[in-house]
Amino acid sequence: MARLETAVLAASETYTRNHAAQSERVETLRARIAEATAGGRPDMVARHRKRSKLLVRERIDLLVDPGTAFLELSSLAAYGQYGGEVPGAGIVTGIGIVHGLPCVVIANDATVKGGSFYHETVQKHIRAQEIAAENRLPCLYLVDCGGAYLPEQDRVFPDARHFGNSFYRQTNMSASGLPQISAVFGGCTAGGAYIPALSDEVIMVRGNARIHLGGPSIVKVAINEEVDGETLGGAEMHSRVSGVSDHLAEDEYHALALMRDIVSELGLSRRWVPMQPALRRRATQRNCLASSAPIANSPMTCARFCCA
């Protein structure tokens, strides 16, 4: 009996130490995620808002269905690198529910280096596209991108899994029947211009959105011609002249509403349906695909994908 009591006491002490150690690690993880998801420096956030632009996670909140979870991926990408100036690698990726349809969302954070792509940004972008292709999910791109971060171009451009690979995947998914839909909220330069240009449908926000390989200053240096951003690649020009854009939005709220409308009309049969535990067996018998992994801090306890 004494040995049993001693063993129970030792186990209790071990549990207490382990619980304290793991609780400390959990708090560290939460603090780092909070830091990474806060976006760029306060002055960059202020400049972003001065241009009447929403922050990247505010856009996502308006895009996904109310009361549903957004499963964010790779939030600690590039953590501690580049002097801590590239939180989340400057991009937000994840899976959200839009009009009942699970979609992969890939959204640039323009408060972080103007939404430019670092090596880790490219890898995070490609990983989200891989998940979309493997699970047959549409891709929704919220584009606000300065293209490749040129001081890092040797780690962004040349290799098989670098920037060009994302365009390769985008076009292949489109060809396979997975919709690629872009909403453009700001200036999209160089590689950032390809993302909407290669999409199946494009929405551009009047006054803020631009798509061009090089901006007005580059045109001036290259051919000594002065041109403004709207004439060169603005929302109205691409919607009324070039045809790159399919929809002209009055503001970001309008753009996100248009994207939701497009998703609602895709006609895809894979829909998220919340189910009670008592109905799970019946759903299985109806050949529904189910994934019951709980999502923390979410009103959804499980995600269900049922064939309509």
Side-chain angles (χ1 to χ4, degrees), residues 115-268:
S116 297
F117 275 69
Y118 286 68
H119 172 77
E120 292 74 19
T121 315
V122 174
Q123 301 309 308
K124 184 173 176 177
H125 185 108
I126 289 174
R127 180 59 184 142
Q129 290 178 309
E130 285 178 337
I131 292 170
E134 290 169 1
N135 294 277
R136 304 296 298 165
L137 303 178
C139 281
L140 308 181
Y141 302 91
L142 307 185
V143 194
D144 201 346
C145 177
Y149 183 65
L150 294 181
E152 289 280 317
Q153 60 183 308
D154 61 323
R155 301 177 65 235
V156 173
F157 282 123
D159 211 344
R161 282 184 62 87
H162 281 177
F163 211 175
N165 185 271
S166 65
F167 312 136
Y168 173 79
R169 291 178 182 277
Q170 187 175 343
T171 52
N172 274 325
M173 282 192 285
S174 176
S176 74
L178 288 180
Q180 308 292 296
I181 304 167
S182 287
V184 183
F185 299 99
C188 298
T189 306
Y194 297 142
I195 297 170
L198 294 174
S199 295
D200 298 306
E201 285 203 60
V202 181
I203 305 158
M204 295 184 72
V205 176
R206 188 195 303 271
N208 273 343
R210 298 192 311 277
I211 298 175
H212 42 56
L213 294 183
S217 58
I218 293 179
V219 173
K220 175 65 176 177
V221 171
I223 60 175
N224 197 31
E225 181 177 328
E226 294 187 4
V227 61
D228 62 89
E230 176 58 41
T231 302
L232 183 63
E236 291 201 43
M237 190 281 289
H238 279 308
S239 299
R240 304 182 189 279
V241 180
S242 75
V244 170
S245 174
D246 303 285
H247 308 275
L248 180 61
E250 294 302 322
D251 55 28
E252 296 199 6
Y253 297 95
H254 186 202
L256 293 165
L258 286 172
M259 179 171 273
R260 284 182 53 82
D261 287 345
I262 292 169
V263 173
S264 73
E265 296 173 357
L266 290 177
L268 300 181

Side-chain angles (χ1 to χ4, degrees), residues 282-295:
R282 189 184 308 170
T284 303
Q285 292 171 348
R286 291 170 55 197
N287 297 319
C288 292
L289 302 174
S291 171
S292 57
I295 302 174

